[in-house]
Amino acid sequence: MRRVRVLLAVALAASAAGCSSDSTAADAISYASIQQLMRQQWEFRETEVASCMAQEGFDYFAEEWSASGSSGTPGATDPDSRLFDVAYDVEHAASHGFGVVEAGLMRSPTPQQGRTSKNADYRESLGNSERLAYEAALNGDDGCAVTAEALAQSEFEERVAAVDETANALRTRITSDARFRQIDADWKSCMGKRGWEAETILGFDEVVSDEIFRRLAELTREDEPRESRVELDEAVVDQLFEFERGAAVDHAECWGESSGDYADVLDDAYAALGG
């Protein structure tokens, strides 16, 4: 299972979805553009899988992109907001958490989980030997899925790197600001009273995501054959989702108590980078 916390780091090339690949202007990065580029990457990969499977003599129906019910990005209740322009709304947190379980564990339809009935029906229509050959062609070590993923990474590599550099510069500007350091200290104090430990506000979602996948790893192993993997019980998913939503609510409430001058900090960071 792909870790959802990787979502933002990989998809930070989103600004390239609406501008040339050599542009790294800070104002080009928004949560909406991140989603847009994720869709482009997904569709590119699916097209390559279908082409590869056709060469192997099998049908494959490209899966449609479907974003989760939440933004999939911590605090991004407004998808058109700039990167790091976060709200951490308590009501949103109580419903969606950080988007980890929703996007990664089938709590809402996503491209990672939403396999169409066409591919499932086609696979089931094959005889046993054909089905084994189909699985090897699609999911083998050198199968079409692996090949398509490598091609997608290569296709978007430069844009990912360019915007990732801009995002890191923004993050550095924000976290080095004395006003943010005070906000962070106040937030840590609030979270500590609730039993949480984290290095920074902007990294707390990774703490929660890591814990979710640590618990998940105790239930299933990714290196096992697909047929032998543990089918997650609905109650287990509910427990993980409850944990995530509780963490997100604590985060949002402490953010509300401590955020203070953050809007000015963000404006100054963007201004310094020409955004």
Side-chain angles (χ1 to χ4, degrees), residues 115 231 249:
R115 290 297 171 191
E231 189 72 26
V249 168

Side-chain angles (χ1 to χ4, degrees), residues 9 31 38-39 45 60 62 66 74 79 83 85 113 130 139 155 164 171:
Y31 292 112
M38 289 169 60
R39 177 171 185 158
R45 183 169 49 246
Y60 181 86
S66 176
L83 183 64
D85 188 1
Q113 302 294 339
E130 288 181 306
N139 297 314
E155 177 71 17
D164 190 46
R171 188 185 185 103

Side-chain angles (χ1 to χ4, degrees), residues 7-8 10-19 25-41 65 71 73 76 78-83 156 159 163 270:
L7 181 78
L8 182 59
V10 172
L12 281 175
S15 68
C19 61
D27 61 353
I29 307 177
S30 70
Y31 292 112
S33 61
I34 287 173
Q35 287 278 2
Q36 185 179 356
L37 184 81
M38 289 169 60
R39 177 171 185 158
Q40 289 181 335
Q41 290 175 304
W65 166 266
S71 67
T73 307
D78 178 4
D80 292 321
S81 61
R82 298 172 296 178
L83 183 64
F156 292 94
R159 286 172 281 179
V163 183
Y270 271 90

